[in-house]
Amino acid sequence: MNNGDIMQKAIIAALWLAAAAHAAAAQDSIKIGVLTAIDSAVGPLSSSVLDGTVDYVTLVNLRDGGVDGRPVEVLTCETRYTLDGHVDCYRELAAQGALVASPSSTEGAYALNRMAFEMKVPVLNNGLGQTAVADGAVFPYSFGFPGHYLHAASATIRYLLDENGNDLSGRKIGFVYHDSPFGTEPIALLERLSAKHGFELLLYPVTPPGEDQGEIFGRVAVDQPDNLILWTVGRMTAVSVGTAAAVDYPRENMIGVWWTTYEPLMRALGPAADGFKAVNYHSVGYDAAVYNELNERVYFAEKAHGEMNNIGLIDYNRGLISGAYLVEILKEAARGGDLSPEGVRTAMERLSITTERLAEIGIDDLAPPLSMNCADHTGEGMMRIIVWRADQRVWRHETDFISPDAEEIDGLIRAQADAFAEAAGVQRRTCAPAGGG
């Protein structure tokens, strides 16, 4: 055998070993599943959320070596914002070994929450989805933290109470909403709060895609509600705010859910969006310490997932926080010695992220503290009101975190969960008191 043959065999062996090592590393990764809607009308939001999630996971892999000595891998599957896409993607991600899955639409989340009883891969309804999953005794495999739509609606009404001397009697509050499960989710609670606080609730459904809302805002101009709550997403939001400006409805009297906050849309509206407010389950900006580490280890190293044109934007932060939650869940599962879907589900019920822990991981006050248990799969659902400053082209904080009306919310969620359990033939679990598992 000549030297050339020896060299050739050595190269082949080295390549084989490298390929084997790569395959082993991929097999040994801890997988989390993210269902995207990038190829849809809400694509820019979905893309920005994904960038934030992947960048945080990349930071953890580079800085900490992943979780439990293993790299964390974000598996994605494109749903096109459809129900069938969610169903297919959930099955695909589960088959690929994802330990948890996060949907990208409320309709899709409803389907995944039902499928989870059979698939047994936990579903994180992260800022969207079916609010009834907060009742962990009925939905053992579904979670709704850090907040859901009932928290958002309740915090909005609490803010309006604070702004009006704790008295909304005789006032008119309009609800302009995407006519879908996403938009209708908070109506039952708003009706309860209307009866409780004495305001008149006016409903304005908008049929998707909502490109022409002249008729809706013509009614708004006639009814003259004191405030408008806006429950839209994507392009529909821009049309709503722009049409409100066209009929001279004050944008400072409008409060949207967090999916109305996409900065490029707000900036395109110019002065017409000034003063528009939104309810949000996290803070805004990029002052958190985690951004220093992202700069050093991810952005400057050219390892960012996207094009770095959305860093610090509100949907990017949403993804960043989601990534932090998912990593903390995996760490809790690793401490329990069970990095399986069931071990992750158990870890999600044990999850406790204190103010001190948020500071340790650099999230700081981007998100409020969080605590789960068997019965409560969402937590307190703290919310902030933010306001758009058109001259600065940014969101600013209008309030600190607001506590929703737990009494009204818990009763409604219990009723919804019981109705689901009866219809689906699901047996309610017996959960120990909070703090007892």
Side-chain angles (χ1 to χ4, degrees), residues 208-373:
E211 288 290 342
D212 183 356
Q213 298 179 37
E215 181 182 348
I216 296 293
F217 279 88
R219 289 167 51 201
V220 168
V222 171
D223 295 340
Q224 285 297 300
D226 297 284
N227 293 95
L228 272 184
I229 300 173
L230 189 62
W231 225 262
T232 57
V233 64
R235 170 69 183 161
M236 185 185 286
T237 299
V239 175
S240 295
V241 176
T243 311
V247 300
D248 290 326
Y249 187 85
R251 269 71 70 213
E252 61 268 23
N253 292 352
M254 299 175 70
I255 305 176
V257 71
W258 46 76
W259 298 119
T260 64
T261 58
Y262 185 54
E263 285 99 336
L265 282 181
M266 292 290 108
R267 290 168 182 166
L269 286 164
D274 191 50
F276 178 74
K277 299 179 182 71
V279 59
N280 201 33
Y281 61 80
H282 59 85
S283 301
V284 298
Y286 44 86
D287 294 332
V290 68
Y291 273 107
N292 295 329
E293 291 195 277
L294 285 166
N295 277 328
E296 178 184 350
R297 298 177 184 271
V298 180
Y299 307 149
F300 295 160
E302 299 184 348
K303 295 183 182 297
H305 182 260
E307 298 179 2
M308 295 181 62
N309 59 350
N310 53 13
I311 292 167
L313 298 189
I314 201 163
D315 292 302
Y316 183 91
N317 279 352
R318 203 162 284 148
L320 197 67
I321 293 164
S322 176
Y325 288 148
L326 289 165
V327 168
E328 291 301 295
I329 290 165
L330 296 178
K331 288 180 177 179
E332 179 64 30
R335 282 191 288 270
D338 188 0
L339 277 165
S340 69
E342 185 60 33
V344 165
R345 189 203 69 79
T346 301
M348 292 171 86
E349 289 192 342
R350 293 199 304 255
L351 189 64
S352 177
I353 305 178
T354 63
T355 301
E356 292 75 19
R357 181 57 183 163
L358 288 168
E360 287 173 4
I361 62 177
I363 295 297
D364 298 329
D365 67 349
L366 268 183
L370 187 68
S371 181
M372 298 295 104
N373 58 63

